[in-house]
Amino acid sequence: RRLSEMEHSHPSELAELFEDVHVCIFIIMVVFILLVSLLLVIAVMQQRKFLMGEGVRQKDIHEKIVGESNLSTLRKSVYVDLLVYRILRREFFHPSIGQAHRRVRPASFHFHVYLGLCMSEFVVELIEIPPFCYTTVMFCLPLTLPLMELEGFSLVLAFTIISWAMLVVLLLICSHLFQTFEQMLPENHPTLQNPIPMEYELVGTRGSQRPQFY
């Protein structure tokens, strides 16, 4: 850049291009660090929910939901999450479909620790970029050549369309994951709209032939 300034008395286009690339890399790294930090905070909060769900009983949660008249949406969502955790715990030890783990006992197996370890491995896999991603990016780079020829409003419009398309794909993936999680739960599981379904019964209810969860 100094040689270019000495020769032409102003920076060359190549130097300006390198500056733009450096700024883009810096912004990408900052956004990546923020996303990783947000992901870690969510993981810690989820781990606390697991620990909280391990120390309560389903009957106590039901009594709190029924006893509190003016129950806020946030508070209700916490209770529903605890009930869902108890359902997952019940299905892990005594699955409705298939056989139970013979070597796993609820008294000696810490389910919340197991979920925390699984979640930690999943978070690490999300943060660590696998090698095949770099290969995919290298093959997709030639597809971006038409974008480099755009200028002004056309360039802004193209990036806007790409951003919205990526958002739509992300929402579709989240919807698919949510539906997959819903299929893991019983048909009449607690929800935010109906935290205690009519057919959702406590463990120990006599005379009931329906599956019971705690």
Side-chain angles (χ1 to χ4, degrees):
R1 179 177 178 179
R2 291 181 179 178
L3 293 176
S4 178
E5 290 178 354
M6 293 174 59
E7 182 177 358
H8 303 286
S9 69
H10 61 84
S12 63
E13 294 183 359
L14 182 61
E16 294 179 355
L17 179 62
F18 274 108
E19 287 183 357
D20 294 338
V21 172
H22 290 165
V23 172
C24 290
I25 294 176
F26 175 76
I27 294 175
I28 291 174
M29 292 303 299
V30 170
V31 173
F32 179 75
I33 293 174
L34 292 177
L35 290 177
V36 171
S37 302
L38 179 61
L39 189 62
L40 293 177
V41 170
I42 295 175
V44 172
M45 294 175 61
Q46 193 67 30
Q47 179 67 21
R48 291 179 179 177
K49 288 183 180 180
F50 295 158
L51 183 59
M52 188 185 305
E54 195 70 23
V56 297
R57 297 184 305 171
Q58 174 184 306
K59 183 178 179 180
D60 297 335
I61 302 174
H62 283 188
E63 291 177 353
K64 291 181 179 180
I65 295 176
V66 176
E68 298 183 14
S69 56
N70 298 325
L71 193 61
S72 62
T73 304
L74 180 60
R75 192 68 176 174
K76 187 186 297 185
S77 64
V78 173
Y79 290 150
V80 171
D81 290 341
L82 294 178
L83 291 174
V84 170
Y85 173 81
R86 302 301 297 184
I87 293 175
L88 292 177
R89 187 178 186 276
R90 169 66 173 83
E91 285 294 314
F92 180 81
F93 292 113
H94 306 285
S96 302
I97 301 176
Q99 298 180 355
H101 302 279
R102 296 181 179 180
R103 298 182 180 180
V104 178
R105 296 291 183 269
S108 59
F109 186 85
H110 300 287
F111 183 62
H112 68 285
V113 177
Y114 169 74
L115 285 184
L117 293 176
C118 294
M119 184 176 59
S120 300
E121 294 181 359
F122 177 70
V123 171
V124 171
E125 290 180 359
L126 288 179
I127 296 175
E128 184 180 1
I129 302 177
F132 75 88
C133 288
Y134 296 104
T135 306
T136 304
V137 171
M138 294 299 295
F139 280 105
C140 292
L141 281 178
L143 301 178
T144 61
L145 292 177
L147 294 176
M148 299 180 182
E149 299 178 357
L150 299 178
E151 296 180 357
F153 178 76
S154 300
L155 181 61
V156 175
L157 180 61
F159 277 101
T160 302
I161 295 175
I162 293 175
S163 301
W164 281 103
M166 294 176 63
L167 178 61
V168 170
V169 172
L170 180 61
L171 292 177
L172 291 176
I173 294 175
C174 292
S175 176
H176 177 70
L177 292 176
F178 181 76
Q179 292 177 1
T180 303
F181 179 73
E182 289 286 325
Q183 294 176 359
M184 297 172 56
L185 302 176
E187 183 178 356
N188 297 306
H189 65 274
T191 61
L192 190 62
Q193 293 75 19
N194 189 14
I196 306 180
M198 296 298 295
E199 299 184 7
Y200 184 80
E201 301 181 355
L202 295 173
V203 172
T205 303
R206 296 181 180 178
S208 175
Q209 300 299 326
R210 302 190 186 96
Q212 300 169 350
F213 303 92
Y214 62 86

